[in-house]
Amino acid sequence: MVKYISAGQTLPLRSLVLRNGLPEDQCIFPQDEVTGTFHIGYFDKDQLVSIATLFPEDHPEYGSKGFRLRGMASDPVFAGKGYGAALIKFVIDELTSANAAYIWCNARSSAVAFYTKLGFTMISEEFEIAGVGPHFDMIRLLDVK
């Protein structure tokens, strides 16, 4: 089940999956508490198994009404079960209802196929994020009402 969660609830999975076990206080994003930011999680029974953070940020080449997806992560024990896809589908519905124009992200190269299946397209060449690895910018245009 998808639920809104707090920024603090995202930190254990960010640490485990995205930051190679760094202390949770080093996994905080500057945007975590910015107005308009929201965090969602997928719960299997009572266990938080997948997370994502979204905040208003326009991509420099795609105009206004953009949201950036960041910190998408699934517990490796639960990977491949569709929980991450459920989060993205929830986000698409929520942001479409809010009249956002698009969602964009820096997708790890290893996650490109996941995002492509959900309607995202690559909009950059591969680039390196220091200490994290190779990425592509990807975007999913929304149906603006």
Side-chain angles (χ1 to χ4, degrees):
M1 169 191 301
V2 178
K3 296 181 186 179
Y4 287 93
I5 60 174
S6 70
Q9 287 175 282
T10 68
L11 298 178
L13 277 178
R14 284 184 189 171
S15 172
L16 175 70
V17 178
L18 302 175
R19 297 294 185 251
N20 297 316
L22 279 176
E24 290 180 13
D25 65 349
Q26 294 181 37
C27 299
I28 296 169
F29 298 155
Q31 301 86 355
D32 276 342
E33 303 297 338
V34 170
T35 300
T37 296
F38 63 98
H39 311 275
I40 56 170
Y42 193 100
F43 289 82
D44 182 349
K45 297 181 178 76
D46 291 329
Q47 185 174 357
L48 180 59
V49 298
S50 192
I51 58 166
T53 296
L54 287 108
F55 51 92
E57 182 178 311
D58 297 334
H59 187 280
E61 296 175 19
Y62 284 86
S64 63
K65 297 170 112 183
F67 269 77
R68 184 170 175 188
L69 169 66
R70 190 155 182 220
M72 178 90 194
S74 291
D75 186 320
V77 173
F78 294 88
K81 297 188 183 293
Y83 300 148
L87 286 181
I88 296 295
K89 290 173 185 172
F90 178 87
V91 165
I92 290 168
D93 289 344
E94 291 293 293
L95 292 179
T96 298
S97 294
N99 293 316
Y102 59 90
I103 305 164
W104 70 281
C105 63
N106 296 144
R108 291 175 187 244
S109 296
S110 60
V112 166
F114 167 80
Y115 288 111
T116 300
K117 287 179 190 174
L118 293 165
F120 284 73
T121 55
M122 277 193 275
I123 56 172
S124 75
E125 298 295 321
E126 189 175 58
F127 60 93
E128 186 80 16
I129 295 180
V132 181
H135 286 68
F136 291 90
D137 278 349
M138 296 189 79
I139 194 166
R140 168 71 154 76
L141 301 177
L142 302 174
D143 297 324
V144 179
K145 295 176 182 177

